[in-house]
């Protein structure tokens, strides 16, 4: 920090400091020149326009050297003189601050205050302003990078920057184009009402889908089983040798009489006994009668044939044996 105030060679000294920055701090990421002044200098005694032009030349020289002016202005006299310091900060991309002016100190016997007179309150205000600006500088972040397709200082490039600070809840995006300086302000993320509405709609739709799914499953469970229609056997036209009575499954109550030497059983039309139900093959099984012996044979069905709970390939039947073909439970009985 360099404090320059009311020196005859004010501008000359600033030029020296800027030149020193270029020699000693060529590799520095940040070059900041802090100036505290009341704007009073003999340079204003000639011409204000000339004075402003000289300040502008200094600012341009600082900008070329990569130096930013951070100025603190304080005066009880002509405030317009502080404008030149604001210009220094503006041209170089720095910061300009002005200390609030306390009441002037009266002279003897109530006379006008003496120019440049400061009391303890003034000194404290200046000290606080310097410390606050110094803290602000420390909290700044500097990022230096070179694009892969960078072709030199004469080539203009546009940069897309995304920054996120610990105090901010959302990243801030900015584009740095032809201008040398871009001020980016990190703000608190506004409450996203759109996403809230989207999530509410998703929750409502999910609830409705779940509701209709449960309703469909309940109705399906309560729906009576599909009735199976079959031709009831009016009984044998002649003497029969055995009988099959369906006691479980969709055809419960049906009775079939065994009158032929060979009786085929299956789901397909053309069998002597046509059974409807799950797990029944087209040609499932058959019963062969020889010398009043009833032999049940499975025809290689997909789900097999059971007699009294045991899976069989061939087995002679006895009175009251229980046969399972698919989901049909059948009782065999002799004549």
């Amino acid at each position: 920090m360099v404090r320059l105030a009311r020196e005859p060679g004010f501008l000359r000294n600033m030029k020296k400091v800027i030149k020193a920055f270029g020699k000693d701090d060529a590799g520095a990421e940040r070059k900041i020149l802090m100036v505290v002044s009341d704007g009073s200098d003999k340079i204003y005694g000639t011409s204000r326009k000339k004075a402003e032009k000289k300040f502008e030349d200094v600012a341009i020289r600082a900008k070329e050297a990569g130096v930013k002016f951070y100025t603190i202005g304080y005066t009880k006299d002509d405030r317009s003189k502080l404008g030149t310091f604001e210009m220094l900060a503006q041209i170089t991309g720095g910061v300009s601050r002005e200390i609030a002016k306390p009441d002037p100190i009266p002279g003897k016997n109530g006379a006008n205050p003496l120019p440049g007179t400061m009391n303890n309150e003034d000194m404290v205000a200046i000290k606080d302003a310097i410390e606050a600006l110094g803290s602000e500088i420390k909290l700044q972040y500097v990022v230096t990078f070179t694009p892969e397709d960078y072709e030199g200082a004469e080539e203009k490039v546009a940069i897309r920057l995304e920054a996120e600070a610990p105090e901010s809840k959302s990243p801030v995006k900015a584009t740095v184009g032809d201008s040398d300086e871009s001020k980016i302000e990190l703000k608190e993320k506004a409450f996203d009402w759109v996403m809230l509405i989207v999530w509410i709609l998703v929750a409502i739709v999910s609830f409705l889908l779940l509701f209709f799914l449960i309703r469909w499953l309940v109705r399906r469970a309560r729906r009576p089983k599909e009735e199976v229609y079959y031709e009831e056997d009016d009984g044998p036209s002649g003497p029969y040798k055995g009988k099959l009575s369906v006691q479980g499954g969709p055809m419960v109550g049906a009775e079939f009489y065994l009158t032929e030497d060979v009786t085929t059983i299956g789901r397909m039309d053309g069998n002597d006994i046509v059974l409807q139900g799950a797990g029944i093959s087209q040609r499932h099984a058959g019963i062969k009668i020889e010398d009043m012996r009833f032999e049940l044979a499975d025809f290689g069905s997909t789900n097999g044939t059971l007699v009294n709970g045991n899976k069989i390939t061939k087995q002679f039947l006895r009175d009251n044996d229980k046969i399972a073909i698919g989901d049909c439970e059948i009782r065999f009985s002799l004549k």
Side-chain angles (χ1 to χ4, degrees), residues 55-299:
F55 273 97
E56 184 178 355
D57 292 340
V58 171
I60 293 174
R61 183 174 298 189
K63 181 179 178 180
E64 292 175 351
V67 178
K68 294 182 180 181
F69 272 101
Y70 279 54
T71 65
I72 298 177
Y74 174 83
T75 182
K76 295 181 180 180
D77 302 323
D78 184 5
R79 188 203 167 278
S80 63
K81 296 179 180 180
L82 299 180
T84 53
F85 294 95
E86 295 176 358
M87 178 183 64
L88 290 175
Q90 183 178 6
I91 293 177
T92 60
V95 175
S96 177
R97 297 283 188 268
E98 181 180 350
I99 301 174
K101 299 181 291 298
D103 295 333
I105 303 173
K108 293 183 179 180
N109 302 321
N112 292 331
L114 298 175
T117 306
M118 293 190 296
N119 57 18
N120 291 334
E121 184 179 352
D122 300 336
M123 298 300 295
V124 171
I126 295 174
K127 176 177 175 296
D128 292 343
I130 294 174
E131 291 179 353
L133 192 55
S135 299
E136 184 177 333
I137 294 173
K138 290 181 180 179
L139 293 175
Q140 292 178 351
Y141 293 88
V142 177
V143 179
T144 303
F145 72 97
T146 302
E148 293 181 357
D149 56 350
Y150 183 64
E151 297 180 0
E154 301 301 325
E155 184 71 18
K156 293 182 179 180
V157 295
I159 300 170
R160 182 70 175 174
L161 175 67
E162 294 187 14
E164 182 174 357
E167 301 83 5
S168 180
K169 297 181 180 179
S170 64
V172 173
K173 300 178 182 179
T175 300
V176 181
D178 295 340
S179 62
D180 294 329
E181 302 297 333
S182 293
K183 295 183 179 179
I184 302 174
E185 183 179 358
L186 295 175
K187 299 180 179 180
E188 292 284 334
K189 183 179 179 181
F191 189 79
D192 196 342
W193 288 102
V194 175
M195 286 304 300
L196 176 62
I197 294 173
V198 170
W199 280 112
I200 291 176
L201 291 176
V202 170
I204 292 174
V205 172
S206 301
F207 175 78
L208 290 176
L209 290 176
L210 182 62
F211 171 77
F212 285 114
L213 176 62
I214 295 175
R215 185 178 178 182
W216 179 78
L217 292 174
V218 171
R219 286 187 175 183
R220 182 177 176 85
R222 292 179 178 177
R223 185 184 303 170
K225 292 184 178 180
E226 185 178 354
E227 296 183 3
V228 177
Y229 298 94
Y230 57 89
E231 265 185 52
E232 291 196 7
D233 197 340
D234 295 332
S237 57
Y240 67 93
K241 302 172 183 179
K243 183 173 68 172
L244 298 176
S245 303
V246 181
Q247 297 183 327
M251 296 182 63
V252 62
E255 292 183 341
F256 302 96
Y257 296 90
L258 303 176
T259 59
E260 304 295 331
D261 291 339
V262 177
T263 302
T264 59
I265 306 171
R267 178 167 51 85
M268 182 178 63
D269 292 339
N271 288 293
D272 297 313
I273 298 177
V274 179
L275 296 177
Q276 299 296 330
I280 301 175
S281 299
Q282 293 184 356
R283 283 179 54 83
H284 198 103
I287 297 177
K288 180 181 179 182
I289 304 174
E290 186 176 358
D291 296 331
M292 290 303 295
R293 299 180 68 191
F294 297 81
E295 185 181 34
L296 173 64
D298 183 82
F299 290 166

Side-chain angles (χ1 to χ4, degrees), residues 21-31:
F21 263 124
K23 292 181 179 179
D24 300 335
D25 300 320
E29 291 184 337
R30 290 186 294 175
K31 300 177 183 179

